[in-house]
Structure formats: C-alpha cells, structure tokens
Amino acid sequence: MTCAVETKGLIKIFRNRWTGKEVRAVDGISLNVEHGSTFGLLGPNGAGKTTFVKLLLSCAHPTAGRAMIFGRDSRESEARRPAGYLPENHRFPTYMTGHGMLDFYGALSGMDATALRKRIPELLATVGLAEWGAVRLGKYSKGMLQRVGLAQALMHAPSLLVLDEPTDGVDPIGRRQIRDILQSLEQQGVTIFLNSHLLAEVELFCRDVAIIHRGKVALEGRVKDLTAGSGYRVEAESVPERLQKELRTKAKSVAERNGHIEFLFGSRDEANQALDLLRAGGCAIETMARTSSTLEDVFVKTVNEQ
Amino acid sequence: MNSKTGIVTWALVRDTFREAFARKIFWGFFGCSTALILFFIFIMKIDVVEGAVATVSLFGNTTRGHDVQRLVRQAHAGIAAFLYTAGMFLAVFASAGLIPTVFEPGRIELLLSKPVERYHILLGRYLGNVLVIAANVFYLVLGVWIIFGVKTAVWTPGFLWSSVIIVFVFSVLLTVVLLIAVVWESAVVAMMVAFAIMFMSPILAQQSLLERLLTSEWSRNTIRVLYYALPKIFDLGRLARALVLGDPVIDWMPVWSSALFGLVTLSGSLYAFGRRDY
C-alpha cells in the first residue's frame, strides 16, 4: 500500500553565503507515514521539524534524498494536490475576509466557483466561524486565525493534512474543537501529520510518532509501544552492592539519583519481593509507587540520550 | 490553458487587485484619473468653428485661433508625457510594495504548498500588478480621448497607442522590481533600482554624444553596453510622443530591445524564485 508520506535519506544543508558555514537542518531522514494514520513529529526547538515539513511540501529544496506524497515526488505540483497545510506562524493577508481567504486558497487548489460556494460556508460553520466570514482577518483573534487556517487547509478535502503547531495560541475550548475536527477527519480516513511540541496533545491524538533531534530520527514507533514503560517504582537508600546486583537482574531499569537507587519493576509482585529483600537488607525505603511512562518521559529520555 | 490553470491565474490576479484596493493604491490612481477626466469635462471648453478654428476656454480665460487637430494632438502629447513621467514614477512606487509582500514568511509557504508551479505564482502576481496599472492608464487615456473626441470631433488613435507604450514600459520596469524582490525581498531596493534605470535612461539616450566626449575606449564600451542592455525608457517616450503627434516612427529598436530586457529579467526572476528555499 502506498504511504501517505515517504521520505528517503532526506538531507537539507543550509550554507551561509559569506562564511561558508554549514548547518545540517535535516540529516538523512527516512520516514514512512501510513495512509490513514495519525502521525506526530516531535523534537526540541531547532531539531529540524519545520524544515522537514517544508521539504515535504516543496517550500524548500532538499540537498539530497526525496520526499514523496502518496508515491509522487512532492516537487511535482500535482503531488501536492491531495495535501492540505497549515503552517506555523502563518500570515494570512489581513485585507482578506475569512470568506475571501478560503475562496483564494481554494481556487489555488483548483476548486471552481460552484465548489467554492458550497464548501466555504460549510467549513466556516465547522470551525465555528460561520458569523465571521465577511469580517476581515485583521480583526480575528489568534485562535480564530488558527481555526480559519485549519478551514483553509481543509478546503479541497485533502487526503493528507499537514499541521504545524495547529493549536498554537488557541484557548482550551478552541483546542478541543480542533481536536474534535481532527478526530472526525481521522475517522474519514484522512492521514494527519502533526508537527507539534505539545507532547500531551500528540500522545492523546497520534497513533504513530517520530522524535527527531539534530536533524535525525532519534526514535519512531507506535505511541502505545513507546509509552508501555509502566510499572512499579521502588526507591531506596544505602543498598548494599550484593543486593543491588540481585535486584538489577529482576528490575526493568535501574537509575541512581542523589545517593538513592531507583528500580522499576514490571509487576506488583516483583516490586513487593524487592521491598522484602531491601527491608531484610536494612535499607531505607524512600518510595514505592505505581508509574506509567508518558510520551514526555520518552521524549526527554530520547533527547538526553542523543 | 486548461480550466485549473485559468482558475489559479484568475485567483492570483484577483488577489493582487484586492491588495491594491486594500492598500488604496488602485483607488489613489483611480481618483487622480477621475479628477483629470472631470477637469477636461467641466473646466476646459473648446468651440470648433468650421472644423478648423477653435476657441479654448480654461478657467474663464479664452484663447482663439487654434488649429483643432494640432491643439488636440498637443494636449494628448502633454497628458501622455505627464503619465509617462509622473504617472510611471507613481506606478513603480506603488507597485513595488505589492510584490515582496508575497514572499513574507508565513504567506509564501502556503502558496508554495498548493498544487501550483512556482513560475505560475510569480507570473500571476506580475500579471495582476500590470493589470492594476493598465486598468487605470486605459481608463484615463480612453476617458480623455473620448472627451476630446466629443468636444472637437478629432479622433486620432495615436493617443490610445501611447497608453499601450506606457503600460509596456511599466511592465518592463516591473520585471526589475520582481527580480529584486525575489532575490532581496526588499521593496526599497527594488524601487531604487527601477528609478535608477529611469533616471539613467535620458543620459544613456545621448549615447552618441557621450561616446564623442569620452576619451577611454573602456568608458565608451561601458556606455554602449548600458545603452543597448538597459530598457530605453527615454527613447520609448519619444516614440510615444511621435505616435501621439502622428509623426512617423523611424526606429522600433527601443521597443524590441526593451522587451528583450524585460524577458531576460523576468526569466531571471522565475529562475531565482524556482531555486529559492522558503
């Protein structure tokens, strides 16, 4: 089955014209996003997320490698027809009304006047701006601009939706509304590619994620697999060497912090056995708690390990 | 042109008009043109007697004994000269801002992500800009031509042709604005270069005189290259005047050489735009 997004060894090097200094913004990224999936692209600031999206949509040219949308090289204009895009820090012309803006970008996507007349009121209502169609964008709040921007990306009913920080500046209600729209699109089989630094949001919404760091893919996989690190955390003090060795063989992970040793066990029984051994060894127990790994934990760990 | 290409082109042209309306550029030109048309309708009175002699009344002052044909042609030439100099200056000044706005971060990415070729985006914007100015020039010239025609029954087509020359020169200068805007994204630099070409033109038009005055071969070659390479704004002005006055046009070289300059500059803009990262 053709992937909605496929990149092969994508590289983007920016060269300073005067100093000749090079920055490898994207450094050999190969990614596959399945058709119909919800995909989150994560990474710290400056990791290369936005550059990756720009390469994908042909706003920038790759130094090497290819980016494909539904199997076609994204540099071909027709390859971009099934894609809708909401950029980060977008600047819609303030002289346009909401209606006029949708009309303009819809026409650029090849929609004729009849289709535009039908689609614009529908979408304005979907994003909760039915009353604002005739108002100039200069009078819109940040949240309203995000919503009308989303409507713009949806104008031609795309099969792939690329959203760069879609809930940036949106209040919690608006955020919920955007999430609901995205969920209904997901049910319709639209592939959603979300570029966001809001980890909780990605965790809540996306099925697959990739974490990129310094232009490379540091980790990728299903969210549920990556966050499967739940269990029981036991933190103790003054653990003798012999006991440490024994517990290390049973624990999923061990970490040392400020003289304390932290063991993560997969089950309650294992944690209770460890507690018995620690007490028998005269160790002071600091904590015993149930834990679940969040995407944030995975993200921080991945980025710190790089 | 297939229907999708037509839809996209029309959207880009319409967007340029919308921006020109919003920035009051279009209305500014339209207001000035209308004021001039009203001036000729109400203030200037021309009485034609026996088809040859006219009485011209302006602000109550009356002069007699004019040759109607000559009077109309001179008036047309005056208006064309005004449009060609002050009008052109204003047109470049006003339009220079319309081009770089397209390249603003956050706006250009959205345009480039659409299923439209880059050259199409740039040409659409260019065409829109030319049409904004052309609409005003044709409105003014046609309006004045009709007023003079009705008042004097002189319908010489030369004045109409001058409007074509004016729009042509503007479209050539706009290719310079376009190139600078793509490469430097600066409206100010774009204006400066376009004005420099306009101001250099009368100097370069004296090419044969300058060549006689200059002593070094290098300087003479430089003047020659600049004269032939750059658009011949001054020569085209003379050509427009000849058309208005009904004089024969001896040399059409300024037209085709300026058109060639425009084509090369436009191709350069398209090439640079196609290669840029946003």
Side-chain angles (χ1 to χ4, degrees), chain A residues 86 126-127 143 146-148 150 163 165-168 170-185 194 201 205:
Chain A
L86 175 64
T126 305
V127 297
Q146 283 299 106
R147 283 189 278 152
V148 80
L150 180 64
L163 306 171
E165 307 289 1
T167 53
D168 197 21
V170 182
D171 61 35
I173 295 166
R175 217 174 263 197
R176 180 68 177 268
Q177 201 176 10
I178 290 177
R179 208 159 45 229
D180 289 345
I181 295 167
L182 296 184
Q183 260 153 10
S184 91
L185 290 167
L194 196 64
E201 198 169 89
F205 182 69

Side-chain angles (χ1 to χ4, degrees), chain A residues 19-277:
Chain A
T19 61
K21 201 180 159 192
E22 287 186 352
V23 176
R24 293 177 85 89
V26 171
D27 195 1
I29 292 184
S30 297
L31 268 183
N32 288 332
V33 178
E34 286 172 26
H35 189 188
S37 73
T38 45
F39 188 93
L41 188 68
L42 302 171
N45 290 340
K49 301 187 300 286
T50 297
T51 306
F52 178 83
V53 170
K54 284 183 177 181
L55 291 172
L56 177 64
L57 293 163
S58 200
C59 300
H61 303 291
T63 310
R66 295 175 76 188
M68 283 173 284
I69 296 173
F70 293 109
R72 289 181 76 166
D73 194 316
S74 68
R75 282 172 293 186
E76 295 171 34
S77 62
E78 275 306 308
R80 300 191 295 273
R81 193 170 295 285
Y85 176 43
L86 175 64
E88 185 189 15
N89 302 324
H90 48 69
R91 222 147 122 184
F92 299 121
T94 49
Y95 55 82
M96 287 182 177
T97 60
H99 189 286
M101 188 268 257
L102 295 181
D103 182 86
F104 174 60
Y105 289 110
L108 289 188
S109 299
M111 295 175 76
D112 61 27
T114 317
L116 288 168
R117 264 197 301 275
K118 188 168 175 285
R119 186 77 171 147
I120 293 170
E122 262 175 31
L123 274 175
L124 283 171
T126 305
V127 297
L129 295 171
E131 309 294 315
W132 288 80
V135 178
R136 282 196 179 196
L137 296 177
K139 295 206 165 30
Y140 280 35
S141 68
K142 181 110 195 270
M144 289 161 79
L145 284 171
Q146 283 299 106
R147 283 189 278 152
V148 80
L150 180 64
Q152 167 280 134
L154 296 173
M155 268 306 286
H156 57 300
S159 319
L160 167 68
L161 193 58
V162 181
L163 306 171
D164 205 343
E165 307 289 1
T167 53
D168 197 21
V170 182
D171 61 35
I173 295 166
R175 217 174 263 197
R176 180 68 177 268
Q177 201 176 10
I178 290 177
R179 208 159 45 229
D180 289 345
I181 295 167
L182 296 184
Q183 260 153 10
S184 91
L185 290 167
E186 185 199 359
Q187 281 157 18
Q188 290 164 37
V190 174
T191 310
I192 297 167
F193 187 103
L194 196 64
N195 183 9
S196 175
H197 66 273
L198 297 174
L199 298 164
E201 198 169 89
V202 172
E203 187 170 0
L204 206 63
F205 182 69
C206 294
R207 192 186 74 183
D208 303 299
V209 289
I211 298 173
I212 63 169
H213 187 42
R214 294 184 184 138
K216 292 179 197 277
V217 176
L219 187 74
E220 67 174 304
R222 296 254 153 136
V223 173
K224 71 171 188 273
D225 295 337
L226 296 175
T227 56
S230 59
Y232 292 84
R233 186 166 59 89
V234 175
E235 198 179 332
E237 203 178 30
S238 318
V239 183
E241 195 71 25
R242 180 193 54 77
L243 191 53
Q244 268 190 47
K245 271 189 185 167
E246 189 182 340
L247 292 175
R248 271 177 199 275
T249 59
K250 292 174 181 169
K252 281 169 76 177
S253 69
V254 181
E256 284 189 51
R257 279 193 195 99
N258 305 322
H260 292 187
I261 296 195
E262 192 182 292
F263 301 94
L264 184 72
F265 295 100
S267 68
R268 190 174 57 189
D269 288 347
E270 282 175 343
N272 277 322
Q273 280 170 22
L275 279 177
D276 292 344
L277 287 170

Side-chain angles (χ1 to χ4, degrees), chain B:
Chain B
M1 189 160 70
N2 66 36
S3 67
K4 283 205 165 69
T5 310
I7 289 170
V8 170
T9 308
W10 174 234
L12 290 164
V13 168
R14 217 166 32 144
D15 179 51
T16 317
F17 267 82
R18 256 197 297 223
E19 189 163 354
F21 288 147
R23 287 168 167 245
K24 316 282 187 295
I25 291 168
F26 189 92
W27 299 121
F29 279 113
F30 187 77
C32 291
S33 304
T34 306
L36 211 59
I37 287 170
L38 292 174
F39 170 83
F40 286 117
I41 290 174
F42 297 111
I43 309 296
M44 190 185 70
K45 289 190 169 56
I46 302 174
D47 294 318
V48 178
V49 183
E50 291 172 4
V53 184
T55 301
V56 180
S57 171
L58 200 62
F59 296 115
N61 297 320
T62 306
T63 56
R64 294 168 198 281
H66 296 279
D67 174 276
V68 177
Q69 281 274 347
R70 196 159 170 268
L71 175 82
V72 172
R73 282 182 190 276
Q74 291 289 353
H76 282 170
I79 297 160
F82 171 76
L83 272 178
Y84 199 78
T85 50
M88 190 73 70
F89 186 85
L90 286 174
V92 171
F93 184 80
S95 309
L98 285 176
I99 302 273
T101 53
V102 179
F103 309 115
E104 284 174 353
R107 185 168 170 185
I108 186 68
E109 292 93 336
L110 210 46
L111 289 173
L112 296 177
S113 72
K114 299 292 172 196
V116 183
E117 297 288 351
R118 285 191 176 203
Y119 71 83
H120 198 166
I121 295 171
L122 204 63
L123 286 179
R125 191 71 179 179
Y126 173 76
L127 180 66
N129 225 318
V130 170
L131 289 177
V132 165
I133 298 303
N136 277 290
V137 170
F138 292 146
Y139 165 66
L140 174 60
V141 169
L142 198 66
V144 171
W145 186 72
I146 290 170
I147 294 161
F148 273 89
V150 168
K151 289 192 175 186
T152 65
V154 175
W155 300 96
T156 52
F159 186 47
L160 296 179
W161 282 113
S162 75
S163 65
V164 176
I165 298 283
I166 290 165
V167 172
F168 167 71
V169 171
F170 171 76
S171 65
V172 170
L173 285 172
L174 195 64
T175 63
V176 178
V177 172
L178 200 66
L179 180 65
I180 307 283
V182 170
V183 177
W184 281 293
E185 292 176 20
S186 165
V188 177
V189 178
M191 268 190 298
M192 282 165 66
V193 176
F195 290 152
I197 289 173
M198 284 174 79
F199 293 134
M200 274 170 73
S201 185
I203 301 165
L204 291 173
Q206 310 303 317
Q207 171 232 359
S208 51
L209 175 68
L210 286 170
E211 279 189 44
R212 282 202 300 276
L213 293 172
L214 292 167
T215 49
S216 88
E217 190 56 33
W218 184 87
S219 310
R220 279 198 291 268
N221 283 337
T222 307
I223 290 292
R224 215 172 289 146
V225 167
L226 283 174
Y227 175 72
Y228 287 106
L230 294 175
K232 284 141 203 75
I233 315 285
F234 186 78
D235 294 350
L236 285 165
R238 281 200 291 219
L239 192 146
R241 185 177 162 79
L243 285 172
V244 174
L245 295 176
D247 296 338
V249 176
I250 301 153
D251 190 4
W252 289 94
M253 186 274 282
V255 176
W256 64 256
S257 71
S258 301
L260 195 63
F261 172 89
L263 275 176
V264 170
T265 318
L266 189 60
S267 307
S269 314
L270 297 174
Y271 177 75
F273 186 54
R275 286 179 59 89
R276 274 208 72 162
D277 290 325
Y278 291 95

